[in-house]
Amino acid sequence: MFTLAEVASLSDIQPTYRILKPWWDVFMDYLAVVMLMVAIFAGTMQLTKDQVVCLPVLQSTVNPKVQPDTAGKADFTTVETTTGQEEASIGTVSYGSPPTERPDILLSGATSSQYQPTESDQELKKEQKDSSGRKTNLDFQQYVFINQMCYHLALPWYSKYFPYLVLIHTIILIVSSNFWFKYPKTCSKIEHFVSILGKCFESPWTTKALSETACEDSEENKQRLTGAQSLPKYVSTSSDEGSPSASTPMITKSGFKFSADKPMIEIPSVTILDKKDGEQAKALFEKVRKFRAHVEDSDLIYKLYVGQTVIKTVKFIFILCYTANFVNTISFEHICNPKVEHLIGYTQFECTHNMAYMLKKLLISYISLICVYGFICLYTLFWLFRIPLKEYSFEKVREESSFSDIPDVKNDFAFLLHMVDQYDQLYSKRFGVFLSEVSENKLRGISLNHEWTYEKLRQHVSRNAQDKQELHLFMLSGVPDAVFDLTDLDVLKLELIPEAKITAKISQMTNLQELHLYHCPAKVEQTAFSFLRDHLRCLHVKFTDVAEIPAWVYLLKTLRELYLIGNLNSENNKMIGLESLRELRHLKILHVKSNLTKIPPNITDVAPHLTKLVIHNDGTKLVVLNSLKKMTNVAELELQNCELERIPHAIFSLSNLQELDLKSNSIRTIEEIISFQHLKRLTCLKLWHNKIVSIPSSITHVKNLESLYLSNNKLETLPAAVFSLQKLRCLDVSYNSIAVIPVEIGLLQNLQHFHITGNKVDVLPKQLFKCVKLRTLSLGQNCITSIPDKVSQLLQLTYLELKGNCLDRLPATLGQCQLLRKSGLVVEDHLFDTLPSEVKEVLNQDTGIPFANGI
């Protein structure tokens, strides 16, 4: 047998699960416990006191006129013909009859065979018989036997098994009520949900967020609550004055910020989150996000709860239907026909059941309990189908708080929240705080400001190559407020900060002229936008999708340099918003690094004032270049990695062009170079990293050329026409296949930088050293065997590269190159050691003259 505690354990659930037990489940659990007690009480009574007492029905109807004495004699005679054991038990009454009569009966039985009774004795015996009732010829064992036979034959089965049926039904109901807490696929989700819900309810951030919401309802309420130290949950550090009253179209309500300027009475335990609480709250946001994604995919918990409720309802109907029929079958008296006349001598017995009245009362009580239980099940079904429980709306929470972005949820997530509402709606309200992105952003802002103080930011400020103060923030949750206190900052770089917000405090940064937004769709307040519009000069925007480009970028009227780096393929060229560039009236430099197939025609909106256009493709072939003809004021043009095979004809229309860079293309021939004679201002031509095999003689017509870059091509010779460019200052033919340096190189009297590294030159012509203005001479990775002594004529030489040749010594005349130092001499160490000691001393001197290679 089992105890009540063992059976009750079937309904045990974790204490934290109680928030998922609505009132009807709790009430049904109590009813189940009462029914369990009824079953156990009835079972205990049945095991200890349940019995049936039976007496034979004497066949008096055979001779109804027989007198009692005659009947008594007949019975007595029958008894005398029985065995000795039966004689000893003559006159014995049914099982449980008083034993006081047994001595007299035994005595008469014992003396009947020893002597003949006298008349007085017979009369006395008759009187005793008449006073003790009608005698039977059954002994004790026979009564026990017939009692047991009739217990199983005469008693209705329900009277015998009532406690066990109630126990089984109750156990089934208990299991059905709590099965969704035990089933593995739902138990894990419920356990996770309850754990998260409890942490969200107790999180200090929940109290802080809701108290700030209450404070934002009205200014009057805010002032009242701020001064009430006894009500810490309504104290707030937020200030309406810190948030903009009006905003540009790209600014949302998420521009809210915390202000410490306005004095307020604060309760540290509520208004200030320590680092540990902040980290725990951020972890909760992540857990809620993942849990929502996991649970919203299915409705298993909902279906299981509906299923177990339906099972309980069907069980209730079944129990009620068959139990009601057995109420009248429970009776105190029963007629038993055991069909054991050959053993007992009687065919019919009248029996009494001593537990009948108690069982009947317990059955009526059980039916009453099961009816109440069933009506509650019907109400539960009504509640389950009355409203769509697979949808949950936080509309009320959104109306009562500033978190208007709390999303509605569905499926099992929604059902669990509906169940929690039956326990306490405050749980869902506090849980909704962790579904709001606005709330998460506020938390990140607070944690961010605690971590990135002014002193820490000052340590990250550095000076860039232009000697400007620069701050680079990478992968933060937002922009710390202390950044805007760095008033002397020149360059601000924000990278991978998805929730960057530029507040009005940026107006303090009067020196800020350059801003970098790398995968950072920053939002700005109205005041901040006005400041940027009037002060920002250079903007770098790096993006993956065109939607990441902030809309306010195209409204910066004082912007001079714009760098766009991202995906702008032909399919969405029309959507990049470049038509807004017409508002950039002072734009001078436009740099686009993308995968364009054509130059967007909208770039011509800034053509009248654009002086530099740079297009860096990722290898995508740039086909349409006609819009270049309209950029008549462009002075610098770069078309790099655009898979160009020839010099575009549209370039020859750019009369003000001064520098052309066609690096990393597929140009094989440059016969069109003769057309450059119309570009009178062209001074720099960069055709490096192409596939050019020869230089046409028509290059002589580009008389104003000062810099010519032809490195990393397939040139084998240098035509004499190149050396007719008297204004040439820089010539770079590195990494080709040139074997000979023509003697005409001596004609380039203005040449200052000559690079021929990575070729096949073995001899240096003496005419090379007539270029006395040379400052940079790169001769590395060739086959040169000796350096002429005339190298001493290069008095302005500051950089000489000789590494990677076949030299065995260096000329001692290197010491006469007054500006050359060891730092500017690129050569193997063993060759440097061949120089005389006095020459090495001269080269080791530090003159303080900066090194320049001219590239």
Side-chain angles (χ1 to χ4, degrees), residues 731-765:
L731 177 61
D732 185 359
V733 290
S734 302
Y735 301 102
N736 281 281
S737 300
I738 300 172
V740 177
I741 300 176
V743 295
E744 289 83 359
I745 193 172
L747 301 175
L748 300 177
Q749 292 300 307
N750 292 315
L751 190 64
Q752 297 180 6
H753 308 280
F754 180 49
H755 305 275
I756 196 169
T757 302
N759 281 276
K760 300 178 181 180
V761 178
D762 55 358
V763 177
L764 296 178

Side-chain angles (χ1 to χ4, degrees), residues 482-516:
V483 169
F484 307 116
D485 295 330
L486 302 173
T487 56
D488 55 346
L489 201 64
D490 299 308
V491 181
L492 177 60
K493 292 184 177 181
L494 306 178
E495 184 173 0
L496 292 174
I497 305 179
E499 298 296 333
K501 297 179 183 64
I502 301 177
T503 65
K505 291 180 65 177
I506 198 174
S507 58
Q508 302 173 175
M509 306 174 70
T510 54
N511 290 340
L512 184 66
Q513 293 188 347
E514 185 175 342
L515 179 63
H516 296 245

Side-chain angles (χ1 to χ4, degrees), residues 59 144 554 659 683 692 804:
Q59 301 297 327
V144 172
Y554 304 105
E659 181 177 332
T683 58
I692 300 172

